[in-house]
Amino acid sequence: MQGATTIPPTASPEVEFISLSHLNPSTELEPVPGRGIDLAYFRRYVRALEDAGYDYTLLPYGSGSADSFVVASAVGQLTERIRPIVALRPNTTFPTVGAQKLATLDQLTEGRAVVHLISGGSDAEQARQGDYLPKERRYARTSEYIDILRRSWTEPAPFDHDGEFYKFDRFGPGFAPYDTPIPISIGGQSDEAFAVGGAKADIFSFWGEPLADLRTEIDRVHTIARAAGRTTLPRIWVTFRPIIDRTDELAWRKAHRYVTRIGENFQRHGLGNQRYGQDTPQNVGSQRALAFAERSELYDRALWTRTAAVTNAAGASTALVGSPETVAAAILDYVDQGASLVSIRGYDTLADAVDYGRYILPLVRQELAHRRATGRRGTLQAEHPGNYGADYAQYATAVRP
């Protein structure tokens, strides 16, 4: 099967790469006290992403983080091509104001703005900023928020709104985006997330899961989209934390070193509990990641779940481990399942971003160019089997410094 040259019917013909912007050198391997912005580091990091060939960068949001809109605006001015993705919680910004801010960013970046709406997976984190809406109702609020965003960008005359969560009179015409509509992304694994994302989102995001499980979830999103009468289906975004080295064996040695340090730091600094405010994550995505980790550490070609287990699945935490060729082949496996947006961010953040741009992005893009030119798969997936081969699992289970 791995040597087949036929392109699967589910395969995306394109892929774009996303990273996450870091404001300072602190990492899960080497936590640095403080939450400030190291401006020189931030400038260097963002420029490295542009030089490495990434297409997007995500500006995360938390109750104790920098403001994602302000950081996104800075990214837009520090780069010429990268598209900033603003992580936005609907409870923090009234929708007409959010529409105005996003359109302003889109104008300043000449059409590069993207928004990722975070409904909120933790009651404790939402309460830190005064949001006490039950989790199952937060997605209903997000649904209403999307409708107001889009109408604010396109309505040619003032309009009123009297909904369940928002009410206003005679708004608009609002400030328009640069040219085309601003893409709206949603993530989450709850039933409510699928209902809203399938019906209304331009992009639906997942954390890295085993291939068969992810394909089932993609089918679910697309089924909901079609039932809503959509002819353009949501793009699929999947996120990984690759650990690479020159060979699979060396990558696994690094992975074992990394997971030991990461686990110690999460225990020592309370990073997992600080993120969620509780021992068991409330959000379904983290629960799924922990369930996968309990079932097995290794899936498919290169998916490793121990990084999720030692961090209590605090955010995107499943890894792809191997040589650049093996990891690129694993990414192509997910492209073959329908992913067209792939987020990769490492544990040694800046160095990994540079290495991914140098060694992984070109391999994936070369394979897709080959497919477009020939209508057939290239040889990368067949020649770098990872866990489908004989030796890989031995490297994965041999804990060596």
Side-chain angles (χ1 to χ4, degrees):
M1 179 183 71
Q2 295 305 311
T5 59
T6 302
I7 301 172
T10 55
S12 171
E14 62 173 346
V15 64
E16 292 182 298
F17 285 96
I18 303 169
S19 186
L20 182 146
S21 282
H22 294 271
L23 303 176
N24 58 54
S26 184
T27 70
E28 291 148 289
L29 294 171
E30 296 289 345
V32 177
R35 297 174 297 171
I37 296 174
D38 182 329
L39 186 56
Y41 178 88
F42 174 64
R43 284 174 173 159
R44 182 182 175 197
Y45 189 92
V46 171
R47 288 170 181 165
L49 295 182
E50 178 121 308
D51 292 342
Y54 291 88
D55 301 288
Y56 302 79
T57 186
L58 174 64
L59 295 316
Y61 184 84
S63 60
S65 73
D67 181 81
S68 54
F69 273 106
V70 177
V71 178
S73 185
V75 168
Q77 299 311 301
L78 290 171
T79 62
E80 298 292 332
R81 190 183 55 79
I82 284 185
R83 304 187 66 176
I85 305 174
V86 176
L88 171 60
R89 289 182 183 170
N91 61 291
T92 64
T93 307
F94 198 78
T96 55
V97 179
Q100 178 187 40
K101 289 158 72 77
L102 286 163
T104 303
L105 176 65
D106 203 48
Q107 291 272 0
L108 286 172
T109 60
E110 298 182 306
R112 288 184 279 152
V114 181
V115 61
H116 179 64
L117 294 178
I118 304 173
S119 298
S122 163
D123 290 343
E125 169 63 10
Q126 295 299 118
R128 293 187 179 104
Q129 291 186 308
D131 182 23
Y132 298 97
L133 197 67
K135 185 175 185 294
E136 64 274 11
R137 300 305 300 151
R138 294 200 284 266
Y139 277 100
R141 179 176 59 192
T142 296
S143 179
E144 186 175 332
Y145 201 96
I146 292 172
D147 293 340
I148 296 170
L149 282 181
R150 290 194 169 127
R151 193 172 182 189
S152 297
W153 291 328
T154 58
E155 189 69 44
F159 66 96
D160 302 337
H161 181 85
D162 188 0
E164 181 179 358
F165 303 99
Y166 303 104
K167 181 178 180 179
F168 52 85
D169 300 321
R170 305 290 293 169
F171 175 78
F175 192 64
Y178 178 73
D179 185 13
T180 57
I182 296 171
I184 297 173
S185 169
I186 285 182
Q189 293 282 278
S190 65
D191 292 341
E192 294 83 4
F194 278 95
V196 176
K200 297 185 177 182
D202 300 299
I203 299 166
F204 198 96
S205 69
F206 295 95
W207 293 340
E209 295 192 349
L211 289 165
D213 295 273
L214 179 67
R215 184 62 240 177
T216 298
E217 301 292 79
I218 293 173
D219 288 340
R220 183 181 179 189
V221 171
H222 288 173
T223 297
I224 293 169
R226 292 187 181 99
R230 298 183 59 177
T231 56
T232 301
L233 302 178
R235 295 183 68 183
I236 301 302
W237 167 359
V238 62
T239 299
F240 304 101
R241 309 292 299 275
I243 302 172
I244 65 171
D245 212 318
R246 295 186 303 278
T247 66
D248 288 344
E249 184 175 9
L250 290 174
W252 274 111
R253 292 183 183 182
K254 179 187 286 188
H256 290 303
R257 292 196 303 270
Y258 275 17
V259 83
T260 298
R261 289 169 61 187
I262 292 165
E264 290 172 351
N265 285 332
F266 267 72
Q267 290 294 323
R268 183 180 303 119
H269 300 286
L271 298 179
N273 289 335
Q274 180 182 356
R275 173 74 65 89
Y276 290 105
Q278 54 195 40
D279 291 331
T280 301
Q282 185 182 4
N283 63 308
V284 179
S286 291
Q287 293 170 11
R288 283 175 65 87
L290 291 174
F292 289 131
E294 184 175 357
R295 194 170 79 197
S296 177
E297 284 194 359
L298 191 60
Y299 291 88
D300 303 318
R301 190 186 304 265
L303 186 71
W304 195 41
T305 64
R306 195 190 297 179
T307 44
V310 301
T311 59
N312 202 30
S317 52
T318 47
L320 296 174
V321 182
S323 68
E325 292 80 8
T326 297
V327 170
I331 289 172
L332 287 163
D333 293 339
Y334 286 88
V335 173
D336 285 342
Q337 294 300 322
S340 65
L341 292 160
V342 175
S343 177
I344 49 175
R345 56 187 177 93
Y347 290 101
D348 187 359
T349 51
L350 178 56
D352 284 341
V354 172
D355 283 347
Y356 300 160
R358 184 175 297 161
Y359 301 116
I360 294 179
L361 272 61
L363 288 171
V364 175
R365 288 172 172 155
Q366 180 180 343
E367 164 64 17
L368 292 182
H370 172 85
R371 293 181 180 191
R372 287 191 294 271
T374 67
R376 311 287 286 179
R377 274 180 169 172
T379 61
L380 182 68
Q381 287 161 285
E383 292 176 352
H384 299 278
N387 194 42
Y388 298 127
D391 299 325
Y392 184 91
Q394 297 177 13
Y395 304 145
T397 56
V399 182
R400 289 175 288 182

